Amino acid sequence: MERHTQLDSESLQKKGPEAFGLLAAIVDSSDDAIISKTLDGIITSWNKGAERMFGHSSEEAVGQSITLIIPLERRSEETEIIARLRRGEKIDHFETVRLHKDGTLLDISVTISPVKDAEGRITGASKVARDIGKRKKAEQETQELDEQLARQTRIFNATLSSITDFVYTFDRNGRFTYINQALLDLWGLKLEEAVGKNFFDLQYPAELASRLQLQIQQVIDSRHPVRDETPYTSPTGAGGYYEYIFSPVFDAHGNVELIAGATRDITERKLVEDQVRQSEERLRELAADLDSQVRERTRELELRNTEITEQATQVRELSQRLLQAQDNERRSIARDLHDSSGQLVVALAINLEMIAQTASGGPVVVKAIQESQELIQQLTRELRTASYLLHPPLLDESGLESALSLYIQGLSDRSGLQIVLNIDDNFGRLSPEIELTIFRIVQECLTNIHRHSGSKTASIRLERDAEAVALEIKDTGQGMSEEKLYGIKHKRRSGVGIAGMRERIERFAGRLDIQSDGGGTRVEVRLPVLVAEEE
């Protein structure tokens, strides 16, 4: 390399002033700082790039010591550089810090070559300096981002590990790629003993393992979540009844890369549901027994009219109190769902939004946060639906028309039943008891249409005049048998739903009429407005 430099210098000398002029133009137009100095460190040339980089003009720099641009604490570097140059060494891409005229410190990369005369003696040095401040800043920012990502990843992993629910991910072959500590504790395994295994490897019952593997493939094929529940007992003997959801995780190209899973122990909820179901069965038995007693008392009424009339009145009062207690309990449960569970879900959504705003991870982390936010929104909608079915808040806040409209929309979305609602203009508000009675009748009728009639459509008409409110509900289903219709009209074997409707209507001295044939069923209800307002 040294010989090549010397030959170039000799060639330039032979070519004369034009060649030197060309070289000077090239040096002067370079964006890099190109400086020459003697072995005593005196600057002998200073190009435009050096002026821009260090702030000193050529007139200010030439003739000055090179320490003009060297910070005091780095002066020892110059001594070492001169010593190496005297030995004929070239210094390549030496990264250091130099000083701008205004006192700013500059990160630069320097290449320094010895300059020789025609006899080959080292007479000075040529220095090319390049500003690497932006690169250094980028490297620092990259390092900070990497550290922040690592910190966020540690926090995220610690959060997942601290969750009592089971959180995990699969690859496309159904093998675990991540398992949080709660699930590892259930299995009695360490992370390295479980990662890479599938359900069969982890000794799941064969039937359950096959079902779960098929559901994972279903998520991959459909690109939509799968939700299910199952009993399970692990090899350690721990277990219970679990609800789980498998959701797709997409890569940057929109392909399913992973499947994220979340499992929750719902053993206590199942026990509560069983208790509620048993209570409902006991209530139905009580209602059936009560209906039987009423029929018996009705027969005895022919002989002892006065006594049975009093007993029938007591039965109606009991039934009305049961209905009132049921309404109050529904309102209480709905309020608890809205106030407590709803607030917890909102708090979780806010925390996840804060994580989403501060996280700087890759697309997998961002996608996982987005999927979690969507799951929270879905949970919020399900809580709202459950609360609304128990007791619609709009009934108290906005009145019957708004409550019916929202309920019908929700039922249509869930069941596919097409429902048309017609309400008189300026229908206005009724007393709370009348509005609740009409709402429960509509709810009971639409539930029966959806479950039993086979009809795809239903229509509701609600009218009001100065004296009464008229409600009509129709479907185009298979209708009722003559025997069942006869029993309903004569208050025999009418079922809990119809009996409850009749009790609500009779409370206000209203009228219920049901017509049905092979073309559908029509329910007509008339309630006196004046009686309702007095109530």
Side-chain angles (χ1 to χ4, degrees):
M1 180 64 73
E2 294 175 2
R3 185 171 180 274
H4 177 70
T5 304
Q6 185 175 358
L7 288 175
D8 287 345
S9 300
E10 292 174 354
S11 176
L12 288 172
Q13 290 174 2
K14 292 177 182 178
K15 290 183 179 181
E18 292 184 1
F20 276 107
L22 178 61
L23 178 60
I26 294 173
V27 170
D28 210 35
S29 63
S30 173
D31 289 333
D32 293 336
I34 301 177
I35 305 168
S36 62
K37 64 182 180 180
T38 67
L39 291 178
D40 296 328
I42 303 300
I43 299 170
T44 58
S45 69
W46 185 271
N47 75 336
K48 294 292 185 183
E51 290 183 350
R52 288 189 296 271
M53 185 177 296
F54 298 110
H56 299 281
S57 67
S58 178
E59 291 78 9
E60 293 173 332
V62 173
Q64 298 293 322
S65 172
I66 194 65
T67 57
L68 177 69
I69 60 171
I70 302 177
L72 183 61
E73 65 274 11
R74 289 184 177 265
R75 296 284 173 85
S76 60
E77 291 180 356
E78 182 64 13
T79 303
E80 176 63 22
I81 289 171
I82 295 297
R84 292 177 63 181
L85 289 172
R86 290 182 185 277
R87 294 193 297 267
E89 296 180 19
K90 180 180 178 181
I91 302 171
D92 280 322
H93 306 297
F94 172 61
E95 294 187 4
T96 185
V97 176
R98 291 296 180 256
L99 190 64
H100 190 274
K101 182 178 179 179
D102 62 8
T104 303
L105 295 177
L106 305 174
D107 289 306
I108 65 171
S109 175
V110 182
T111 297
I112 307 172
S113 302
V115 175
K116 299 179 181 180
D117 60 15
E119 286 74 28
R121 292 174 299 185
I122 298 173
T123 60
S126 174
K127 175 189 297 185
V128 179
R130 176 165 295 176
D131 189 346
I132 60 171
K134 291 182 179 179
R135 193 195 77 191
K136 284 287 189 180
K137 183 178 180 182
E139 290 175 352
Q140 181 179 358
E141 290 176 350
T142 300
Q143 181 180 357
E144 291 175 353
L145 286 175
D146 289 342
E147 291 176 353
Q148 185 178 8
L149 175 59
R151 183 169 59 254
Q152 293 294 339
T153 301
R154 289 194 300 271
I155 294 173
F156 184 69
N157 289 335
T159 301
L160 290 180
S161 297
S162 66
I163 294 175
T164 56
D165 290 351
F166 306 146
V167 181
Y168 43 88
T169 57
F170 309 104
D171 62 17
R172 292 175 61 89
N173 295 319
R175 296 189 178 278
F176 285 93
T177 58
Y178 172 81
I179 307 108
N180 75 334
Q181 191 60 46
L183 184 51
L184 291 172
D185 292 342
L186 177 72
W187 291 335
L189 298 176
K190 297 179 181 179
L191 183 63
E192 58 271 16
E193 295 173 330
V195 167
K197 305 293 180 59
N198 61 22
F199 292 111
F200 294 101
D201 298 331
L202 295 170
Q203 301 180 21
Y204 270 61
E207 181 179 353
L208 175 58
S210 298
R211 187 177 92 199
L212 295 174
Q213 292 286 126
L214 288 174
Q215 288 174 332
I216 290 173
Q217 188 61 45
Q218 181 181 346
V219 173
I220 296 174
D221 295 339
S222 69
R223 300 166 62 87
H224 288 89
V226 170
R227 183 188 298 273
D228 204 351
E229 56 185 43
T230 184
Y232 170 69
T233 301
S234 76
T236 65
Y241 208 94
Y242 299 95
E243 178 184 56
Y244 61 90
I245 181 170
F246 296 159
S247 301
V249 178
F250 301 97
D251 61 17
H253 304 291
N255 300 316
V256 178
E257 181 180 19
L258 295 171
I259 296 89
T263 300
R264 173 169 294 179
D265 188 339
I266 58 170
T267 305
E268 292 186 5
R269 192 186 80 187
K270 279 293 182 181
L271 291 175
V272 172
E273 289 176 354
D274 289 341
Q275 293 173 357
V276 171
R277 188 161 44 251
Q278 292 173 8
S279 298
E280 289 176 347
E281 290 175 358
R282 288 196 296 270
L283 181 60
R284 283 193 293 270
E285 292 172 357
L286 175 62
D289 182 63
L290 185 60
D291 187 61
S292 175
Q293 291 182 27
V294 171
R295 287 197 303 272
E296 182 66 25
R297 297 297 185 271
T298 301
R299 286 192 293 269
E300 293 176 2
L301 182 61
E302 296 175 357
L303 300 175
R304 300 179 344 186
N305 185 56
T306 302
E307 179 182 351
I308 297 304
T309 299
E310 180 179 353
Q311 292 177 351
T313 301
Q314 293 175 352
V315 170
R316 284 195 298 272
E317 291 175 353
L318 174 60
S319 179
Q320 291 170 6
R321 286 197 297 270
L322 287 173
L323 288 173
Q324 185 66 39
Q326 185 182 57
D327 288 336
N328 291 338
E329 186 64 18
R330 285 180 172 179
R331 183 182 289 106
S332 176
I333 295 173
R335 186 181 300 112
D336 289 340
L337 279 176
H338 180 272
D339 292 345
S340 60
S341 300
Q343 289 177 3
L344 291 175
V345 172
V346 169
L348 180 58
I350 292 173
N351 288 342
L352 195 57
E353 180 63 22
M354 293 174 64
I355 293 174
Q357 292 176 0
T358 57
S360 58
V364 173
V365 175
V366 173
K367 190 66 179 178
I369 293 175
Q370 291 174 349
E371 290 292 340
S372 299
Q373 291 173 324
E374 292 174 4
L375 291 175
I376 291 175
Q377 292 174 0
Q378 180 181 351
L379 176 58
T380 302
R381 289 194 297 270
E382 291 180 359
L383 284 175
R384 188 182 299 115
T385 298
S387 175
Y388 189 88
L389 291 177
L390 287 169
H391 183 79
L394 279 180
L395 193 62
D396 300 328
E397 299 169 2
S398 303
L400 185 60
E401 182 173 358
S402 298
L404 284 176
S405 297
L406 186 59
Y407 169 72
I408 289 170
Q409 181 62 51
L411 180 60
S412 296
D413 293 341
R414 294 190 302 274
S415 65
L417 186 65
Q418 298 181 11
I419 307 169
V420 177
L421 174 64
N422 294 308
I423 300 181
D424 282 349
D425 294 336
N426 302 319
F427 184 84
R429 296 296 301 268
L430 301 170
S431 68
E433 294 83 0
I434 288 288
E435 289 187 338
L436 180 58
T437 296
I438 294 174
F439 183 88
R440 292 301 184 201
I441 292 172
V442 171
Q443 190 178 36
E444 180 64 27
C445 289
L446 291 180
T447 300
N448 289 336
I449 291 171
H450 171 56
R451 291 179 178 175
H452 308 300
S453 74
S455 176
K456 301 298 183 182
T457 62
S459 64
I460 304 169
R461 181 171 56 84
L462 192 58
E463 299 176 342
R464 173 184 180 181
D465 57 26
E467 297 180 356
V469 176
L471 171 65
E472 179 188 76
I473 304 172
K474 295 192 300 182
D475 67 63
T476 56
Q478 60 190 4
M480 304 179 187
S481 66
E482 291 184 2
E483 179 182 0
K484 184 174 183 180
L485 185 61
Y486 179 86
I488 290 174
K489 288 189 173 183
H490 293 81
K491 301 183 180 180
R492 300 174 183 174
R493 295 179 295 175
S494 58
V496 176
I498 298 296
M501 289 169 51
R502 182 176 285 113
E503 291 294 338
R504 291 180 185 276
I505 294 168
E506 289 180 355
R507 177 186 176 191
F508 302 102
R511 180 172 61 83
L512 170 66
D513 182 45
I514 301 177
Q515 302 294 331
S516 184
D517 55 28
T521 302
R522 182 176 70 252
V523 178
E524 294 181 344
V525 176
R526 188 171 179 84
L527 295 169
V529 170
L530 293 178
V531 171
E533 290 176 349
E534 291 174 0
E535 289 285 317

